[in-house]
Amino acid sequence: MSHYDAVVIGAGQGGGPLAGAFARAGRRTALIERAHVGGTCVNEGCSPTKTMLASARVAHLTRRAAGYGVLAAVSGIDMRRVRERKQAIVDSFRDGSQGGLDRAGVEVIRGTARFVAHRTLLVVSGRDVRRLTADLVFINTGLRPAIPRIPGLSDTPFLTSTSIMELDAVPDHLLVLGGGYVGLEFAQMFRRFGSRVTVLQRSAQLLPREDLDVAQEVAKLLAEDGIDVRLEAGVTAVSARDGGIMVEDRGRSKAEVEGTHLLVATGRRPNTDDLDASAGGIALDERGFVRVNERLETTAEGVYALGDVTGGPAFTHISYDDFRILRTSLLEGGRATTAGRLLPYTVFIDPQLGRVGMTEREAREAGRSVRLATMPMSLVARALEVDETRGFMKAIVENGSNRILGAAVLGLEGGEIAALFQIAMMGGLPYTALRDGIFSHPTLAESLNNLFAAMDRTSQ
């Protein structure tokens, strides 16, 4: 048996930095990881997908080159080269994460961990078994793709968000189950690589957490890109047929859809199956997520959870903020919590959808008195200059305080523009500070002047 001051289960974007912080503070620290250091973000999520999206954008711009007065053509897509470029980025980031742990003095233990008692773990790697105890244990085991129970699916070859990035060739016709962030990013990516793409979304809109006007505009631009979007799809069966895949949609379209490849992007589930959490006194919710309070404490004393496995927003920056909360509370003598933190995120379709704070729907359901500032990207000078005018900007402003409660930017560099709203919200600034701010011309930032000036004119 080995005893540690701290044991972290999972080397994701919260667990890795936390282990390093404890080790640098002089605490004997072990990090248990059964796959790759860096977690989903580095290995199967943010880094590889955004690298491949960059390749797809180059293909897209090359096809549009004549409109800019440039003579160019896409003669084909080398998916092996796309994949190699993706993997080089992954390897580089993974090595960087491993190097940081080594320099901090973290003991990295390879294997699968499970609880056998309070703050007591068995780590199994092949025939090797180690028993660990610790003063503090941190669960950072993340998520994996959730596979729905659809008749025939288990007998049909399908892709997940991980395996689709290993394709050697562009699919002729890609079927995408799910109209969330992951499904839409891959749908547009492979459409730009040259695939026919059909998206089957169960609900009445894409991106169900977004306001309806935002979701409708997203659907519009995807249709402009040649993607077949089918809402209220009721997929009742999947089967392999004549070298292809057949999906029965008994929803709104009541039709069969045949493709060559099927991507299942219907959500993610927590990696807690092998954890035997109850043996450690740790409660899970009905979906298998670890129950935590605003201090990220589980139901077991001295055991914490962070990142996606807690059931909160599944974003890298939220996982990293969880790390900061625990570092502040346990190593720096502070008292940080998750209460009241802003939630920014970006959907990396092109143009991007950047979001922060409350949606209009959330604000109205909360009983807030609000007014809206909206403006099409076609009125943004910078967007006109680069010929990307699709989308619009939307800010939710509270009456009385004039504070910005939230914003959505579907447009050129939407994620970066949303960050400007977030900074104003962090500082508690009224919208007038952005309306009257001096931003350099011609930049996307100066569009905030016109956005809020237009709101004032229509409010008068």
Side-chain angles (χ1 to χ4, degrees), residues 364 368-372 396-405 431 455-456 459:
R364 296 194 187 282
R368 310 292 281 269
S369 174
V370 299
R371 51 183 166 152
L372 306 178
I396 298 92
V397 176
E398 185 175 44
N399 288 318
S401 71
N402 285 335
R403 299 287 177 83
I404 302 168
L405 300 180
Y431 79 90
M455 181 185 72
D456 284 347
S459 299

Side-chain angles (χ1 to χ4, degrees), residues 30-47:
L31 176 63
I32 304 167
E33 175 54 53
R34 66 182 179 184
H36 303 297
V37 169
T40 298
C41 178
V42 166
N43 296 285
E44 295 99 23
C46 318
S47 300

Side-chain angles (χ1 to χ4, degrees), residues 249-327:
D249 175 12
R250 297 308 176 201
R252 182 195 295 180
S253 70
K254 293 182 171 56
E256 291 185 338
V257 188
E258 186 173 5
T260 58
H261 295 71
L262 173 66
L263 168 64
V264 176
T266 53
R268 297 174 70 79
R269 59 179 297 179
N271 291 319
T272 53
D273 308 69
D274 300 326
L275 206 54
D276 202 357
S278 61
I282 300 151
L284 307 179
D285 70 12
E286 63 280 0
R287 296 181 298 161
F289 290 97
V290 179
R291 294 186 183 274
V292 294
N293 59 20
E294 64 182 20
R295 293 181 295 278
L296 301 175
E297 297 169 323
T298 71
T299 51
E301 182 182 1
V303 182
Y304 299 78
L306 66 160
D308 301 349
V309 76
T310 66
F315 299 111
T316 293
H317 42 283
I318 296 299
S319 295
Y320 194 79
D321 190 58
D322 286 352
F323 146 65
R324 286 190 293 241
I325 288 170
L326 292 172
R327 179 186 61 187

Side-chain angles (χ1 to χ4, degrees), residues 228-249:
D228 181 10
V229 176
R230 304 192 180 194
L231 301 176
E232 296 183 282
V235 176
T236 57
V238 176
S239 60
R241 188 181 301 180
D242 299 327
I245 295 172
M246 185 69 71
V247 172
E248 293 184 15
D249 175 12

